[in-house]
Amino acid sequence: MTEQHPVKPRSGHHNLDPHLDRYAARTAGMTASEIRALFAVASRPEVVSLAGGMPNLAALPLDTLSAQVGQTIAEDGLVALQYGSAHGVPALREQICEVMALEGISAHPDDVVVTVGSQMGLDMVTRLFCDPGDVVIAEGPSYVGALGSFAAYQAQVVHVAMDDEGLQPAALKEALVRLEKDGRRVKFLYTIPNFHNPGGVTLAVRRRAEILEICRTHGVLVIEDNPYGLLGFDGQIYPALRSTDPDNVVYLGSFSKTFASGLRVGWVLAPHAVREKLVLAAESATLCPPTLNQLIVSRYLATHDWKGQIKKFQENYRERRDAMLSALEQYLPAGCEWTRPDGGFYVWVTVPEGVDTKAMLPRAVTARVAYASGTGFYADGFGSRQMRLSYCYPTPERITEGVRRLAAVLESEMDLLRTFGTVTRAVSGPQSPQSPSPDTA
Amino acid sequence: MTEQHPVKPRSGHHNLDPHLDRYAARTAGMTASEIRALFAVASRPEVVSLAGGMPNLAALPLDTLSAQVGQTIAEDGLVALQYGSAHGVPALREQICEVMALEGISAHPDDVVVTVGSQMGLDMVTRLFCDPGDVVIAEGPSYVGALGSFAAYQAQVVHVAMDDEGLQPAALKEALVRLEKDGRRVKFLYTIPNFHNPGGVTLAVRRRAEILEICRTHGVLVIEDNPYGLLGFDGQIYPALRSTDPDNVVYLGSFSKTFASGLRVGWVLAPHAVREKLVLAAESATLCPPTLNQLIVSRYLATHDWKGQIKKFQENYRERRDAMLSALEQYLPAGCEWTRPDGGFYVWVTVPEGVDTKAMLPRAVTARVAYASGTGFYADGFGSRQMRLSYCYPTPERITEGVRRLAAVLESEMDLLRTFGTVTRAVSGPQSPQSPSPDTA
């Protein structure tokens, strides 16, 4: 039993809801994620939050944007404020193809569907493919928002292990063979190949063809989620899975991390037949994505040095990553391990045996530091020895201070553990060799 | 077999999609609506489109809006361009309560969830409540976008008749009793009480308590969709169903018709327990609605004479409604009947026996006028003798010309009918006394 899939409502709560008997079966699985509860706590100014995934927008040129957005309304207002198609604004879809070309993708704008953030793309793809009980393969750990969408469609998530080179092909093959033997219907592999959330690792280039080949052989579609792909700290851009397998990969992209998350502009690039159905699904979900937001992104891409802006973001995040890795090295007690991302927002930390990151969290918040405990990133109760630390938002100084505070909390947990043999009641599921956290380098 | 629920893919198409065996069961029901196909045709400038539902935004003060939106970015850019909560911006939720107070609704901002247009609200409510095979009651005809959402969750729509005073309580009761007897699980009544789309009628005030009572007695939730409620042509505002039954009504609202559809800002007002689950569902669907758009609407409501603006919209649409009703009176052949809306966007026309509006549509487009044939507004194949005419977008002159062209097409159909006894191959489902169109006054 996990946070995502409680078998029954919390006792004492269900009598308060007179609509309880009316909900769909899927609704029973909807409970607040740990991450969500954390956002509220972490917003208190005295707490250093290493929990959230909010991009740092300080580098955006607000004056320029203000003028551009004003112009969009003044010049194109009757279009910007009007309904558009569920498919998305054609000019933007062409520009999106230019963005994806950086990752080696050759695509036709017709096969791009603009969505309300890539979260909506993920939700729509799951809507198209997953019947209740179908299996989705995902890395362990995986993106918490993806687990939410899969749960909403009652798909069952099977995690496959990563190491510091990302998803392990042998473990993927083994899982597929086992699931086939069990007669399970696997619909797709959901993967974040670059600068993984929350793992902080990147799928090695030499593994990519192998992963694609395994999925093809087993008749499994690949959903490639790539919000961080252009945020490599050395300017490196990895070739998208989609670039070599256009017929069996659905690609999810987003401007949330390379421009502005509050606009909610993402996209799906899909094989042609799937794209037609995606547009229909999107139409029933929101009619169309906001036209104004699409025109803002389109004008920004057309008139602004958006690649230069991404470079600024990269530098910004690299500086923060460096601060975090230095602080982890300096402060964290022996026995802790962590990943060393070369892009993106996150470090994945494994703490010594016996420490439970979920149980420890209230004590960390009391010590004025927040993180995301690992269990939220698994659909099956694992992750209690892990935590995700985000370096994207706070200043380097705050990051250092946050890690220092976290280290003190960890030390005190480990002291108690050495003295009494335990510090916490067991509140999370069992560990299993099938779903380890990424190895730490 | 209807447009919404084909039993199998069109022959000759399914071999082209290598992913066909992978789709979820719900995906089989996704086919392009007639309305959607029409948008493309109707966008040709020589065609007078009476088909679409696009609001006429010409009355909006673009210069003022341009300045306001620019200010929003300049002053609040780091908030506007950042992720927000799935619940929505608190200040906007308070303002939404003020808007709803005009309809007699007393609500707490906590129970409002901001959505990406009210279409998303509808989709989320259906997600929460409908398992495959559950029944949704809807007026016959009903909003085509609602039928799309219900189909996406594999709910079955049962239509209940309207007359010129809206949904008929006796017919509703009869349907519920029949469905109970059949052991069916009815989840909610979906209703558009004011200035119905596509029916053009309004639920009589004296029927409202009765409808609510029937739903309570039968344990059926009410989904009240009210995008046009403030667009009464005499400034009349009907009391919302929600105003007298807060525990059993979920209310859907929208700024698409009272401000700007391209911003995609709508909302759901729900009973408290339902609201908590709605936020979770919305989070997995889009993470959060666009922050910028919420701040734009909030600033507009705070600084602009939004009620005066709605009055301008009302005048605009009243002038167009008058043009349409005059033209229908003047040009339409004997035997045609139509509703006389006192608000909203639409007139529902019933043509003489033997004329098939779906089959006639290509000939109408050839004659440079487009409409929405009635079958798109039923989930069960009815509506072939009906059409929806929209007066919201074209100028009064174009509306008159469009109706004149439509009348000529109808005359010619009826001529052929008199001469040969038939004009079309039967392409739509059977008529039934259980799902008549609204009576015409």
Side-chain angles (χ1 to χ4, degrees):
Chain A
M1 202 169 98
T2 73
E3 279 302 298
Q4 270 74 35
H5 304 287
V7 170
K8 43 184 175 177
R10 288 160 295 174
S11 62
H13 279 223
H14 56 289
N15 284 334
L16 296 178
D17 183 358
H19 305 284
L20 197 71
D21 293 339
R22 292 172 172 166
Y23 293 120
R26 70 176 70 80
T27 305
M30 293 184 190
T31 54
S33 75
E34 298 166 38
I35 301 282
R36 186 160 168 273
L38 273 174
F39 272 128
V41 174
S43 66
R44 281 154 38 189
E46 71 273 20
V47 176
V48 175
S49 176
L50 307 174
M54 294 202 299
N56 192 314
L57 302 177
L60 279 178
L62 291 187
D63 286 347
T64 309
L65 285 174
S66 165
Q68 283 185 358
V69 172
Q71 273 176 328
T72 300
I73 300 271
E75 294 168 15
D76 291 329
L78 293 185
V79 174
L81 300 173
Q82 184 59 273
Y83 289 120
S85 81
H87 197 167
V89 168
L92 177 61
R93 289 191 277 108
E94 285 179 25
Q95 292 166 305
I96 285 171
C97 288
E98 290 166 29
V99 173
M100 292 189 295
L102 297 175
E103 297 165 348
I105 290 175
S106 163
H108 194 284
D110 276 0
D111 293 334
V112 173
V113 181
V114 180
T115 52
V116 182
S118 64
Q119 181 73 33
M120 178 178 163
L122 186 54
D123 198 77
M124 291 296 102
V125 168
T126 314
R127 179 179 293 201
L128 284 191
F129 287 103
C130 291
D131 284 313
D134 283 349
V135 172
V136 168
I137 305 264
E139 286 122 356
S142 186
Y143 166 52
V144 65
L147 300 182
S149 265
F150 301 152
Y153 293 96
Q154 299 164 273
Q156 193 207 328
V157 175
V158 170
H159 291 291
V160 168
M162 294 185 284
D163 57 27
D164 59 356
E165 298 199 319
L167 188 67
Q168 297 178 333
L172 173 63
K173 197 186 288 183
E174 197 183 292
L176 287 169
V177 168
R178 179 169 42 87
L179 288 160
E180 273 169 20
K181 203 173 290 171
D182 294 349
R184 302 302 302 274
R185 215 173 163 208
V186 181
K187 283 302 176 69
F188 53 75
L189 163 68
Y190 168 76
T191 179
I192 306 169
N194 304 317
F195 319 127
H196 191 271
N197 175 10
V201 298
T202 291
L203 183 63
V205 173
R206 60 184 171 70
R207 281 189 182 175
R208 298 189 177 213
E210 197 181 351
I211 298 281
L212 289 168
E213 175 62 28
I214 292 168
C215 288
R216 277 208 162 264
T217 304
H218 290 268
V220 168
L221 195 66
V222 176
I223 311 298
E224 176 178 30
D225 191 4
N226 194 22
Y228 309 99
L230 299 181
L231 292 177
F233 297 142
D234 306 310
Q236 76 281 37
I237 299 179
Y238 296 100
L241 296 171
R242 166 59 174 74
S243 68
T244 57
D245 197 354
D247 296 333
N248 202 48
V249 177
V250 174
Y251 177 99
L252 306 178
S254 173
F255 290 107
S256 288
K257 276 81 182 185
T258 54
F259 179 25
S261 45
L263 296 174
R264 313 304 299 118
V265 179
W267 70 89
V268 183
L269 170 65
H272 197 75
V274 174
R275 187 272 293 169
E276 289 181 1
K277 294 193 179 289
L278 260 181
V279 171
L280 293 169
E283 202 164 50
S284 72
T286 66
L287 279 189
C288 64
T291 319
L292 173 65
N293 306 237
Q294 296 179 75
L295 296 192
I296 289 173
V297 174
S298 182
R299 188 178 283 249
Y300 172 81
L301 293 173
T303 62
H304 196 77
D305 175 19
W306 60 272
K307 291 182 194 171
Q309 183 67 48
I310 289 177
K311 225 175 143 56
K312 280 185 199 157
F313 284 131
Q314 287 167 5
E315 286 162 12
N316 200 341
Y317 294 129
R318 183 177 51 213
E319 189 191 359
R320 285 162 168 77
R321 186 268 323 250
D322 289 346
M324 179 165 280
L325 290 183
S326 298
L328 290 170
E329 200 68 58
Q330 186 176 352
Y331 295 116
L332 243 52
C336 294
E337 297 180 316
W338 55 89
T339 55
R340 285 161 176 80
D342 61 347
F345 285 9
Y346 308 107
V347 171
W348 184 248
V349 177
T350 301
V351 298
E353 182 85 43
V355 176
D356 183 316
T357 57
K358 191 172 159 190
M360 185 179 80
L361 186 53
R363 291 186 284 278
V365 171
T366 305
R368 292 169 299 134
V369 60
Y371 57 82
S373 77
T375 48
F377 304 96
Y378 286 92
D380 52 11
F382 300 109
S384 62
R385 260 186 71 198
Q386 279 77 31
M387 61 175 80
R388 187 190 74 177
L389 299 184
S390 311
Y391 50 80
C392 44
Y393 195 77
T395 60
E397 295 68 34
R398 294 269 288 174
I399 290 171
T400 305
E401 175 59 20
V403 172
R404 204 186 55 77
R405 291 176 188 172
L406 176 63
V409 176
L410 269 170
E411 293 278 13
S412 129
E413 295 282 297
M414 291 163 66
D415 269 355
L416 284 171
L417 199 63
R418 275 187 292 266
T419 311
F420 299 105
T422 179
V423 283
T424 56
R425 296 150 302 284
V427 291
S428 59
Q431 297 291 330
S432 153
Q434 282 165 6
S435 291
S437 64
D439 284 347
T440 50
Chain B
M1 201 169 102
T2 73
E3 280 300 299
Q4 269 75 32
H5 303 285
V7 170
K8 43 184 175 177
R10 288 159 295 176
S11 62
H13 279 222
H14 55 289
N15 285 335
L16 297 178
D17 183 359
H19 305 283
L20 198 71
D21 292 339
R22 291 173 173 166
Y23 292 121
R26 71 177 70 82
T27 305
M30 292 183 190
T31 54
S33 75
E34 298 165 37
I35 302 281
R36 187 159 168 272
L38 273 173
F39 272 128
V41 173
S43 66
R44 281 155 36 191
E46 71 275 17
V47 176
V48 175
S49 175
L50 307 174
M54 292 202 301
N56 192 313
L57 303 177
L60 280 178
L62 292 187
D63 285 348
T64 309
L65 285 174
S66 164
Q68 281 185 359
V69 172
Q71 273 176 328
T72 301
I73 301 269
E75 294 168 14
D76 291 328
L78 294 185
V79 173
L81 300 173
Q82 184 60 272
Y83 289 119
S85 82
H87 196 169
V89 168
L92 176 62
R93 289 191 277 108
E94 285 179 24
Q95 292 166 307
I96 284 171
C97 288
E98 290 167 30
V99 173
M100 292 190 294
L102 297 176
E103 297 165 348
I105 292 175
S106 163
H108 194 285
D110 276 1
D111 293 334
V112 173
V113 181
V114 180
T115 52
V116 181
S118 64
Q119 181 72 35
M120 178 179 165
L122 186 54
D123 198 78
M124 290 297 102
V125 169
T126 314
R127 178 179 294 200
L128 283 192
F129 287 103
C130 291
D131 284 313
D134 283 348
V135 171
V136 168
I137 306 265
E139 285 122 357
S142 186
Y143 166 53
V144 65
L147 300 182
S149 265
F150 302 151
Y153 293 96
Q154 297 163 276
Q156 193 206 326
V157 175
V158 170
H159 290 292
V160 168
M162 292 185 286
D163 56 28
D164 59 355
E165 297 199 319
L167 188 66
Q168 297 178 334
L172 174 62
K173 199 186 288 183
E174 198 183 292
L176 287 170
V177 168
R178 179 168 43 87
L179 288 160
E180 273 168 20
K181 203 173 291 172
D182 294 350
R184 302 300 303 275
R185 215 175 164 205
V186 181
K187 283 304 177 66
F188 54 74
L189 164 68
Y190 168 75
T191 179
I192 307 169
N194 303 316
F195 320 127
H196 191 271
N197 175 12
V201 298
T202 291
L203 183 63
V205 172
R206 59 187 171 69
R207 282 189 183 176
R208 297 189 179 214
E210 197 181 351
I211 298 281
L212 289 168
E213 176 62 28
I214 293 167
C215 288
R216 278 207 162 264
T217 304
H218 289 268
V220 168
L221 195 67
V222 176
I223 311 298
E224 177 178 28
D225 192 3
N226 194 21
Y228 309 100
L230 298 181
L231 292 177
F233 297 142
D234 307 311
Q236 76 280 37
I237 299 179
Y238 296 101
L241 297 172
R242 166 59 173 74
S243 67
T244 58
D245 198 353
D247 295 334
N248 201 47
V249 177
V250 173
Y251 176 99
L252 306 178
S254 174
F255 290 106
S256 288
K257 277 80 183 185
T258 54
F259 179 26
S261 46
L263 295 175
R264 313 303 299 117
V265 179
W267 71 89
V268 183
L269 170 65
H272 197 76
V274 175
R275 186 273 294 170
E276 289 180 1
K277 294 193 180 289
L278 261 180
V279 171
L280 293 170
E283 202 163 50
S284 72
T286 67
L287 278 190
C288 64
T291 319
L292 173 65
N293 307 237
Q294 296 179 76
L295 295 192
I296 289 173
V297 174
S298 182
R299 188 179 282 249
Y300 172 82
L301 293 173
T303 62
H304 196 75
D305 174 18
W306 60 273
K307 290 182 194 172
Q309 183 67 48
I310 289 177
K311 225 173 143 55
K312 280 186 198 160
F313 284 132
Q314 286 167 5
E315 286 162 13
N316 200 341
Y317 294 129
R318 184 178 49 215
E319 188 190 0
R320 285 163 167 76
R321 186 268 325 250
D322 290 345
M324 178 164 281
L325 291 183
S326 298
L328 290 170
E329 200 68 57
Q330 185 176 354
Y331 296 116
L332 241 53
C336 293
E337 295 181 317
W338 55 90
T339 54
R340 285 161 176 79
D342 62 346
F345 286 8
Y346 309 107
V347 171
W348 184 249
V349 177
T350 301
V351 298
E353 182 85 43
V355 176
D356 183 316
T357 58
K358 190 172 161 190
M360 187 178 79
L361 187 53
R363 292 186 283 277
V365 171
T366 306
R368 292 168 301 134
V369 60
Y371 57 83
S373 77
T375 47
F377 304 96
Y378 286 91
D380 52 11
F382 301 109
S384 63
R385 259 185 71 197
Q386 278 76 32
M387 60 175 80
R388 188 190 73 177
L389 300 184
S390 312
Y391 51 79
C392 45
Y393 195 78
T395 62
E397 295 68 34
R398 294 268 290 174
I399 289 170
T400 306
E401 174 59 19
V403 172
R404 205 186 54 76
R405 291 176 188 171
L406 176 63
V409 176
L410 269 169
E411 291 279 15
S412 129
E413 294 283 296
M414 291 163 66
D415 269 357
L416 283 171
L417 201 62
R418 276 187 291 268
T419 312
F420 300 105
T422 180
V423 283
T424 57
R425 295 151 302 286
V427 292
S428 60
Q431 297 292 330
S432 152
Q434 282 164 7
S435 292
S437 64
D439 285 345
T440 51

